[in-house]
Amino acid sequence: MAFRQRFARSLLYTTGAVAAGGGLIYFSYRPRNIPGLDPAAVPPPGYTDSGSWRPPQFPKVKSRDEQIADLKRSGGIVAEARVGNGIFGSTTDAQSEQDDGIYDLLVIGAGATGAGVALDAATRGLKVAVVERDDFAAGTSSKSTKLVHGGVRYLEKAFWEMDYNQYKLVKEALRERKYFLDTAPHLSSWLPIMLPLDKWWKAPYYWVGTKAYDILAGSEGIETSYFLTRSKAIEAFPMLKRTNLVGALVYYDGAHNDSRMNVSLAMTAALYGTTVVNHMEVTGLEKGADGRLSGARVKDLVQEKNGKKAEEFTIRARGIVNATGPFCDSIRKMDDQSIKEIVAPSSGVHVVLPGYYSPAKMGLIDPKTSDGRVIFFLPWQGNTIAGTTDAPTTISYNPVAGEKDIDWILSEIRHYLSPDINVRRGDVLAAWSGIRPLVKDPKAKNTESLVRNHLIDVSDSGLMTCAGGKWTTYRQMAEECVDEAIAEFSLQPKRVTNAPSVSGTEWIDDGARLDGSCQTHQVKLVGAHGFSKTLFINLIQHFGIETDVAQHLTESYGDRAWTVAALSAPTEQRFPVRGERISPSYPFIDGEVRYAVRHEYAQTAVDVVARRMRLAFLNAQAALEALPKVIDIMAGELAWDSKRKEVEWKDAVAFLESMGLPKSKLTATRKEVESGKLSFKDSVEYKMYSRHDAPGDELESDAQESPVMKGEAGANR
């Protein structure tokens, strides 16, 4: 009997262990549909039965002038003119049209939060306008670490501090991470991130942490984390320092192209009927007799760039949302000069290094730097991003990364890269500083404590401020903000009955789900419908563009890459057939500039080189060299005269200082750049390479062709 009990107990334990182990194995390797790897929702364009090409029929957004006319109509300017001309039968008719033009919501700021709010409200059937003083993602939204992540380090903090709120933030971010890949698979992707281990005891500690991260993601998860032995870690990341390396853990998070994501949000909102205008500055807020906000005064800064006086006009709206990030206090003070500031700005510096510093498909995290901060080392757009710092700062328009911060990042990089890799200051291709808008709740008991996630605050006059948060949770922030606006301003959401065919086909009814509730977790952005991982092949086979260019276009524009390629000039060469490169070392082409102007409201050269294509963020000097070509193409599209072209040159060069352009290049003239006579002998880069050393060995034929080297090599003596 005792034997049977012992046997049964042993069998039970064994069965339980096998079941638990089997469950873990199944969880890790179960078949699943990884978000972002689905086939295209609509097929690529092709040929008809008669053999003629059937181009895609994508809907177009209104022109910028048409959008501005809509803004003016809300303030009654058009109606008044028509009354003056006797078009309306009475003033009552004119007043009726004025009232019809009033917006439900006016969103100030078109960064990630503002564009997200605009899209959410528009897809709930509300009449929305969004204005931006500069350009979409001109501030913090283009200067992120490029990650879409739940925050594995926040999960660790939640565990040790037993902080349920921190846990909820991670859970929310992991859910939003999946929505990124569902709604914009062309702009976001999964990225494995390595965590090197220098002590054996860290292996089980971090293994448990990364597995908890996987489990917490649940159905929103992707590939599961895994352990690498020392040899496999070095194989996956050859640049790693081998000293004390015992292995590594690899977990998955998301990465994205932040400013292109922001532009796509704004353009999708425009397709759904939002009035979207960049380079439109708010100069003041309007209040009614009851003291409640009724609109805003604005002026078009593009007119000033053209040498004309910018007229001020009023936009009327039932509710106003302040989504200006670190600048939100300036809008709040337009409402009430006596308010306390809520933004506690923090500077985050990143540097960009050549692509050979990291594998093309593997990132790295150092969870404990010399001062306790976390630093990421990530492949992005063919280069490598390293950052970020976190230090109090002052708010400025285009902050410049300080040498102290750049040196700190390079110093930290040296700690985990192989000592035979010389990490040089001259290898820094670009460096920028983004301002995180950490916020304090003005209505909390302790008004000095920072809000953990984001803040939605409504003033007595009705100014709704939405601030804080991070890129990963922009959609959730927008949803909560619109929910609050509907309640605060007594708005009436409704089913969207005239939804555009964003896909450009009849295959998908984009308005089917838009019943007046929040559906942005299902609203695919511009370019998403026809995107697949093999779309670039269709592009190559039809237009004859280079492989790296085709991959770049599909991963930046999705199915709109068809339009970009069609706008690219023929090369008159055997191959490539289309696409003139803007910069010889990067896959950006001329068609992108035309597309940015015609379809994405680009109004300045900086709009293009920094936020439509990412050249300024990848290589500041390459962006400088590309400026003449970009300005000339834009001049042809926008009818710029010589004065405007000169303004663009000066503004763009000044902006490139904030991207890390050396001070010696800030006085560069267009003529110097175009002629190739821009001196760089005073730069760090000049001394980095062997430019004039004769080779120690060479073919005699080479020596005959090169009088400078003739007879200098040992083999020819």
Side-chain angles (χ1 to χ4, degrees):
M1 186 68 179
F3 170 76
R4 288 182 179 179
Q5 289 179 341
R6 286 197 301 271
F7 178 76
R9 192 180 301 117
S10 299
L11 183 63
L12 181 64
Y13 291 157
T14 303
T15 304
V18 170
L24 183 60
I25 292 172
Y26 176 77
F27 177 81
S28 299
Y29 298 103
R30 70 194 186 281
R32 62 200 127 162
N33 293 321
I34 302 297
L37 298 182
D38 298 326
V42 299
Y47 291 89
T48 62
D49 294 337
S50 62
S52 59
W53 171 249
R54 185 180 62 246
Q57 301 295 319
F58 297 126
K60 294 183 179 180
V61 295
K62 290 182 178 180
S63 71
R64 188 171 184 274
D65 287 344
E66 289 172 325
Q67 298 279 38
I68 292 174
D70 287 345
L71 292 179
K72 291 180 176 179
R73 191 173 294 115
S74 79
I77 294 177
V78 174
E80 289 172 6
R82 289 183 180 178
V83 170
N85 291 326
I87 295 175
F88 287 109
S90 67
T91 305
T92 305
D93 295 331
Q95 186 64 46
S96 175
E97 175 165 324
Q98 278 185 259
D99 292 340
D100 289 341
I102 296 177
Y103 290 100
D104 290 319
L105 281 181
L106 169 62
V107 183
I108 304 173
T113 304
V117 169
L119 178 60
D120 189 304
T123 52
R124 298 200 207 189
L126 298 177
K127 186 177 175 63
V128 188
V130 57
V131 294
E132 164 61 49
R133 178 184 63 181
D134 195 321
D135 185 31
F136 317 118
T140 308
S141 297
S142 62
K143 298 174 181 177
S144 71
T145 309
K146 323 304 179 193
L147 282 177
V148 184
H149 62 131
V152 68
R153 65 190 188 277
Y154 299 135
L155 182 60
E156 179 187 26
K157 188 176 179 181
F159 175 78
W160 286 114
E161 297 180 5
M162 301 297 289
D163 189 335
Y164 180 68
N165 288 326
Q166 192 85 33
Y167 164 84
K168 284 202 307 182
L169 294 180
V170 176
K171 181 70 175 173
E172 174 188 293
L174 287 171
R175 183 187 68 245
E176 294 299 319
R177 185 182 68 173
K178 178 177 181 291
Y179 294 153
F180 255 84
L181 276 99
D182 286 339
T183 59
H186 55 303
L187 295 172
S188 46
S189 61
W190 298 120
L191 179 68
I193 300 177
M194 179 181 288
L195 199 165
L197 304 172
D198 59 357
K199 290 182 175 58
W200 276 112
W201 67 264
K202 292 184 178 180
Y205 175 79
Y206 284 118
W207 185 87
V208 170
T210 54
K211 285 302 174 187
Y213 197 59
D214 295 340
I215 293 169
L216 187 60
S219 62
E220 283 83 37
I222 40 171
E223 297 289 352
T224 55
S225 57
Y226 56 91
F227 176 77
L228 288 176
T229 62
R230 182 178 186 274
S231 60
K232 288 295 183 182
I234 293 170
E235 181 182 349
F237 208 117
M239 308 81 178
L240 270 182
K241 181 192 289 185
R242 304 186 181 201
T243 308
N244 297 327
L245 182 69
V246 299
L249 279 160
V250 177
Y251 71 96
Y252 284 79
D253 249 328
H256 76 137
N257 188 336
D258 52 8
S259 73
R260 285 224 51 83
M261 180 75 178
N262 201 152
V263 171
S264 295
L265 282 169
M267 293 306 100
T268 307
L271 285 177
Y272 279 99
T274 301
T275 303
V276 179
V277 184
N278 55 351
H279 300 284
M280 183 69 69
E281 182 179 20
V282 172
T283 58
L285 300 177
E286 295 284 319
K287 294 182 180 179
D290 59 356
R292 298 280 292 180
L293 290 175
S294 61
R297 297 187 305 279
V298 298
K299 66 176 181 178
D300 183 7
L301 299 182
V302 172
Q303 293 299 318
E304 293 184 348
K305 285 182 176 290
N306 288 329
K308 301 176 182 177
K309 184 179 179 181
E311 59 171 320
E312 242 186 41
F313 62 91
T314 299
I315 305 169
R316 293 197 299 159
R318 296 178 177 87
I320 298 178
V321 175
N322 172 16
T324 52
F327 302 97
C328 69
D329 282 328
S330 61
I331 301 297
R332 293 176 70 241
K333 287 185 176 181
M334 289 182 184
D335 175 45
D336 181 358
Q337 282 288 339
S338 65
I339 54 99
K340 287 186 65 175
E341 295 184 352
I342 62 172
V343 174
S346 174
S347 170
V349 170
H350 295 81
V351 302
V352 173
L353 298 163
Y356 56 72
Y357 270 88
S358 68
K361 299 293 183 181
M362 177 77 75
L364 185 143
I365 180 175
D366 181 358
K368 292 287 192 302
T369 59
S370 58
D371 61 359
R373 288 181 283 187
V374 172
I375 194 167
F376 286 98
F377 196 64
L378 309 168
W380 184 69
Q381 301 279 308
N383 283 355
T384 301
I385 287 182
T388 175
T389 62
D390 185 6
T393 188
T394 56
I395 297 175
S396 58
Y397 190 49
N398 279 319
V400 176
E403 281 299 321
K404 183 179 179 181
D405 290 322
I406 294 172
D407 290 342
W408 179 83
I409 293 173
L410 296 180
S411 175
E412 293 301 322
I413 291 171
R414 293 186 186 102
H415 291 163
Y416 52 78
L417 289 188
S418 175
D420 61 355
I421 298 175
N422 185 13
V423 181
R424 306 175 295 185
R425 175 63 177 87
D427 283 334
V428 176
L429 304 175
W432 69 83
S433 173
I435 301 176
R436 292 192 196 90
L438 305 177
V439 291
K440 298 170 283 191
D441 187 349
K443 295 174 182 172
K445 290 182 179 179
N446 180 5
T447 57
E448 294 304 311
S449 62
L450 295 175
V451 175
R452 288 178 178 270
N453 192 7
H454 60 269
L455 168 76
I456 299 173
D457 176 68
V458 184
S459 72
D460 293 340
S461 62
L463 177 65
M464 181 171 291
T465 297
C466 185
K470 60 181 182 178
W471 241 119
T472 306
T473 56
Y474 87 90
R475 194 209 64 82
Q476 180 68 30
M477 288 172 60
E479 179 180 348
E480 293 178 17
C481 182
V482 175
D483 286 344
E484 188 80 15
I486 289 170
E488 176 69 23
F489 306 125
S490 303
L491 305 179
Q492 300 296 319
K494 57 183 179 293
R495 175 177 288 278
V496 176
T497 57
N498 58 341
S501 178
V502 181
S503 70
T505 71
E506 298 178 355
W507 289 68
I508 295 177
D509 180 2
D510 289 295
R513 297 190 182 97
L514 305 182
D515 58 0
S517 63
C518 177
Q519 295 295 324
T520 46
H521 61 291
Q522 302 183 87
V523 174
K524 287 187 179 293
L525 302 188
V526 167
H529 295 78
F531 172 76
S532 72
K533 293 293 185 180
T534 57
L535 178 62
F536 76 96
I537 298 174
N538 303 119
L539 219 60
I540 295 169
Q541 292 179 336
H542 183 72
F543 289 106
I545 56 180
E546 294 171 280
T547 300
D548 63 331
V549 172
Q551 289 175 325
H552 154 67
L553 293 183
T554 55
E555 291 171 3
S556 298
Y557 303 90
D559 57 26
R560 266 46 175 190
W562 291 102
T563 306
V564 178
L567 289 171
S568 303
T571 64
E572 307 301 334
Q573 299 174 5
R574 182 187 65 80
F575 195 86
V577 179
R578 280 181 180 268
E580 181 183 351
R581 289 187 185 245
I582 296 298
S583 176
S585 301
Y586 295 92
F588 307 114
I589 57 173
D590 59 322
E592 295 181 72
V593 184
R594 297 184 184 93
Y595 183 85
V597 173
R598 298 184 191 185
H599 301 280
E600 294 182 337
Y601 299 141
Q603 295 295 307
T604 71
V606 173
D607 292 352
V608 172
V609 297
R611 294 175 286 270
R612 303 308 187 281
M613 53 179 74
R614 307 308 306 274
L615 187 56
F617 281 82
L618 291 168
N619 191 320
Q621 295 201 59
L624 176 69
E625 292 160 4
L627 276 178
K629 193 174 294 184
V630 170
I631 290 173
D632 285 346
I633 295 173
M634 295 187 74
E637 293 289 320
L638 295 168
W640 288 347
D641 57 20
S642 58
K643 289 184 179 179
R644 176 63 192 274
K645 289 168 74 172
E646 184 61 26
V647 167
E648 286 302 313
W649 176 265
K650 290 179 179 178
D651 288 352
V653 173
F655 168 80
L656 288 177
E657 181 182 12
S658 69
M659 291 288 107
L661 186 69
K663 294 188 183 301
S664 60
K665 305 295 184 295
L666 296 177
T667 56
T669 65
R670 173 171 175 155
K671 187 176 181 180
E672 287 175 327
V673 172
E674 284 184 305
S675 64
K677 294 181 179 179
L678 183 64
S679 174
F680 63 100
K681 290 185 178 181
D682 57 346
S683 68
V684 176
E685 185 183 20
Y686 182 77
K687 301 175 183 178
M688 285 168 47
Y689 305 103
S690 173
R691 296 183 183 275
H692 307 294
D693 296 343
D697 200 359
E698 62 182 340
L699 296 176
E700 187 172 346
S701 59
D702 292 337
Q704 289 174 352
E705 293 175 9
S706 176
V708 176
M709 297 181 183
K710 187 174 181 179
E712 292 181 359
N716 294 328
R717 287 195 187 89

